[in-house]
């Protein structure tokens, strides 16, 4: 019985036009400074509110100053999701 030939498949090589292209990633250098700034602004807002016995930073907001401070901190966490 004759033996059949074994077909060898050629290795795949991508077309030459696609080999030289590199994937460009977005520059996210702004994320860390903005995130840290939001954290620090929120923390400073709350600390100033407590140290001044509620008269600063905005007197008319009363206890809502705490919410504003935590809002800055929450915004910092929101920005941190963009960090890679």
């Amino acid at each position: 019985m004759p033996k059949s030939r074994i077909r060898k498949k050629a290795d795949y090589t991508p077309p030459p036009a696609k080999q030289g292209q590199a994937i460009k990633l977005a520059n996210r250098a702004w994320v860390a400074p903005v995130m840290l700034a939001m954290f620090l602004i929120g923390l400073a807002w709350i600390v100033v509110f407590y140290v001044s016995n509620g008269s600063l930073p905005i007197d008319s907001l009363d206890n809502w100053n705490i919410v504003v401070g935590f809002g800055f901190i929450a915004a910092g966490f929101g920005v941190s999701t963009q960090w890679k």
Side-chain angles (χ1 to χ4, degrees):
M1 176 119 280
K3 191 174 182 184
S4 63
R5 286 188 292 163
I6 299 173
R7 294 183 206 161
K8 184 175 180 182
K9 292 184 179 182
D11 292 336
Y12 174 74
T13 55
K18 296 204 178 216
Q19 283 181 338
Q21 294 177 351
I23 299 173
K24 185 177 179 183
L25 298 175
N27 187 3
R28 305 244 172 145
W30 60 271
V31 174
V34 171
M35 176 186 64
L36 291 176
M38 293 289 205
F39 288 153
L40 292 176
I41 290 170
L43 180 65
W45 194 289
I46 294 171
V47 168
V48 167
F49 175 71
Y50 278 117
V51 169
S52 68
N53 289 326
S55 63
L56 291 175
I58 300 175
D59 190 28
S60 61
L61 287 180
D62 240 5
N63 286 336
W64 285 97
N65 279 306
I66 297 171
V67 175
V68 172
F70 278 114
F72 276 110
I73 293 171
F77 278 115
V79 170
S80 72
T81 62
Q82 300 297 315
W83 196 9
K84 288 188 179 186

